[in-house]
Amino acid sequence: MRVLGIDPGLNITGYGLIEGDGRKLRLVEAGVIRTSSEEPIKERLKRIYDGLSDLIEEYRPQALVLEKIYSHYKHPVTSILMGHARGVVCLLCGKYDLELVNYASTHMKRSIAGKGRATKKQVGGMVKTLLGLKRRPEPEDVTDALALAISHLHSVNKTKGF
């Protein structure tokens, strides 16, 4: 199964595509789509849309995973801006008829690192180990996207008895 994890952001959208069969995980593709705050929002959203659309068309994932939205009362604008990028991702799921899965960050961290309050460093270390990489993926947007994809494969494979 191919799973595309996405860490949506208006400045940086991280993505990670993982393939897994229940026993082995393989990194297929990972990276970021960057936009500039100097650009109009419509251009930024189009860049995210086009970049992810190209990925989906080339690799044909079966599922797309996002982290459930979290809003801190001190930073509501951050959630609103992330919501724009998140909306683009949801639209792509509709366009390509992809399964859309949302996990809380604590679910993803528990699945990857064994505890729901794991640090970014712990999650990155486990992503590195689980994918057999030489170093932790960077930036953290990529690590988070990969962790989401791995978390979904773990959840799916649990239900299949792997």
Side-chain angles (χ1 to χ4, degrees):
M1 174 179 209
R2 278 192 175 170
V3 178
L4 179 59
I6 298 181
D7 182 20
L10 198 52
N11 292 327
I12 301 174
T13 291
Y15 61 86
L17 185 67
I18 303 292
E19 194 168 66
D21 66 359
R23 294 174 219 48
K24 292 169 76 173
L25 298 173
R26 183 175 76 83
L27 172 63
V28 177
E29 177 70 29
V32 296
I33 299 167
R34 294 182 189 272
T35 70
S36 169
S37 59
E38 304 290 315
E39 296 175 292
I41 193 162
K42 70 177 187 171
E43 295 300 323
R44 298 171 80 183
L45 294 174
K46 184 177 182 321
R47 179 170 299 140
I48 294 167
Y49 179 89
D50 289 345
L52 293 176
S53 187
D54 289 347
L55 268 171
I56 292 167
E57 286 182 15
E58 182 175 350
Y59 295 106
R60 301 286 180 196
Q62 284 80 41
L64 195 146
V65 187
L66 288 170
E67 187 176 308
K68 283 186 179 174
I69 200 157
Y70 170 78
S71 179
H72 194 279
Y73 72 93
K74 289 184 179 178
H75 308 285
V77 173
T78 302
S79 296
I80 292 167
L81 293 175
M82 183 176 54
H84 292 315
R86 189 178 168 81
V88 166
V89 173
C90 294
L91 174 63
L92 285 163
C93 284
K95 178 180 179 182
Y96 291 102
D97 196 27
L98 289 172
E99 175 186 9
L100 176 60
V101 181
N102 289 280
Y103 289 124
S105 63
T106 52
H107 171 89
M108 177 268 291
K109 290 175 181 179
R110 192 176 322 105
S111 173
I112 298 297
K115 58 183 179 177
R117 300 277 182 212
T119 65
K120 293 249 185 206
K121 186 175 180 180
Q122 290 169 322
V123 170
M126 285 306 298
V127 166
K128 173 188 160 217
T129 300
L130 291 168
L131 294 176
L133 305 174
K134 292 181 180 174
R135 55 183 159 31
R136 283 197 317 250
E138 291 182 12
E140 288 180 346
D141 310 89
V142 172
T143 304
D144 290 347
L146 289 168
L148 286 164
I150 294 168
S151 181
H152 183 61
L153 283 168
H154 283 171
S155 293
V156 167
N157 294 326
K158 246 188 224 179
T159 63
K160 290 182 179 178
F162 288 117

